[in-house]
Amino acid sequence: GAVVSQHPSRVICKSGTSVKIECRSLDFQATTMFWYRQFPKQSLMLMATSNEGSKATYEQGVEKDKFLINHASLTLSTLTVTSAHPEDSSFYICSALAGGGGTEAFFGQGTRLTVV
Amino acid sequence: QKEVEQNSGPLSVPEGAIASLNCTYSDRVSQSFFWYRQYSGKSPELIMSIYSNGDKEDGRFTAQLNKASQYVSLLIRDSQPSDSATYLCAVNMYIQGAQKLVFGQGTRLTINP
């Protein structure tokens, strides 16, 4: 299957700082990428849909000013958690749709964010 | 009603037996259906996709789709302890004009040696 690389895999930051997470499709072009958050023992919660060259579409209840998404190229989307607080600690996962109108989504390795 | 529903389990199956995982979905016009496997602390891994009614087999895995009943299932034959994981059903839906992959809550499967 297609490869999606997410970086970093684990990050610890201080409360009030910002953290940037990168999601790259390595061997295909991804016009659409998704960002999810997952709390322990829960399913994935879609945060936003990122489309190359346009503004991200956020799910209800997700603060777009807090979770900044940039999809500047067909292979890279970034999620920046601004002014992080302990309640933002979670597992953040990106996925990308395989190109050519494909509907299969491939996931990055995930980023474990801990805000202290 | 949730858009994609799964029994959260846990489901325990003896090694070598068949594990059966079920999923129902609400959107009648959905055309693409997926099963992902997620190990604890890891991100989901795509194991099966199915688009047409009937069965699709890949090794020990068989996905079954019944669009009339809005039902999709995954069978794992000759279950192995390494199959112990959470299995997520996902359905591609168009919601308010946007394509989204909607997940069920996942079924936790344990294969007992």
Side-chain angles (χ1 to χ4, degrees):
Chain A
V3 179
V4 176
S5 175
Q6 188 174 339
H7 177 81
S9 59
R10 191 177 295 267
V11 59
I12 300 173
C13 72
K14 290 185 177 180
S15 187
T17 61
S18 296
V19 173
K20 180 186 282 190
I21 303 169
E22 291 188 349
C23 181
R24 293 181 185 272
S25 55
L26 296 186
D27 51 0
F28 66 99
Q29 293 184 331
T31 54
T32 302
M33 290 185 174
F34 302 97
W35 287 95
Y36 295 86
R37 181 166 56 182
Q38 187 176 37
F39 293 106
K41 299 191 187 303
Q42 294 186 24
S43 189
L44 296 115
M45 185 193 79
L46 179 64
M47 299 175 66
T49 301
S50 168
N51 292 296
E52 186 265 337
S54 63
K55 289 184 179 180
T57 304
Y58 290 81
E59 295 300 299
Q60 194 172 6
V62 178
E63 300 174 57
K64 60 182 179 183
D65 294 330
K66 180 169 184 62
F67 299 100
L68 300 178
I69 292 172
N70 186 298
H71 194 157
S73 77
L74 286 171
T75 58
L76 174 64
S77 177
T78 61
L79 167 67
T80 302
V81 182
T82 63
S83 186
H85 288 98
E87 57 265 30
D88 298 324
S89 299
S90 187
F91 191 46
Y92 291 86
I93 316 172
C94 72
S95 73
L97 286 181
T103 57
E104 291 184 347
F106 297 92
F107 283 81
Q109 303 93 318
T111 297
R112 177 77 57 192
L113 171 64
T114 303
V115 184
V116 298
Chain B
Q1 182 190 2
K2 292 182 181 177
E3 291 166 322
V4 180
E5 291 206 55
Q6 294 179 253
N7 188 327
S8 61
L11 175 65
S12 291
V13 172
E15 184 176 357
I18 296 175
S20 178
L21 304 159
N22 304 313
C23 173
T24 57
Y25 58 95
S26 61
D27 186 3
R28 284 193 168 277
V29 301
S30 293
Q31 299 293 321
S32 307
F33 308 87
F34 309 93
W35 283 99
Y36 288 84
R37 177 176 61 199
Q38 187 177 24
Y39 292 113
S40 180
K42 303 293 184 182
S43 68
E45 171 192 9
L46 178 66
I47 54 173
M48 287 287 283
S49 59
I50 187 166
Y51 306 97
S52 305
N53 279 328
D55 295 0
K56 179 182 177 183
E57 188 174 316
D58 183 1
R60 295 186 297 112
F61 298 99
T62 300
Q64 299 174 317
L65 174 61
N66 184 326
K67 291 184 181 179
S69 300
Q70 295 173 239
Y71 174 92
V72 58
S73 66
L74 179 71
L75 301 177
I76 306 174
R77 289 182 300 281
D78 188 23
S79 298
Q80 304 296 310
S82 58
D83 295 327
S84 298
T86 296
Y87 288 81
L88 299 163
C89 171
V91 180
N92 212 350
M93 297 183 179
Y94 279 88
I95 299 174
Q96 296 179 333
Q99 183 179 354
K100 297 184 182 181
L101 192 58
V102 181
F103 285 85
Q105 65 269 44
T107 298
R108 191 153 49 93
L109 173 66
T110 300
I111 307 300
N112 301 307

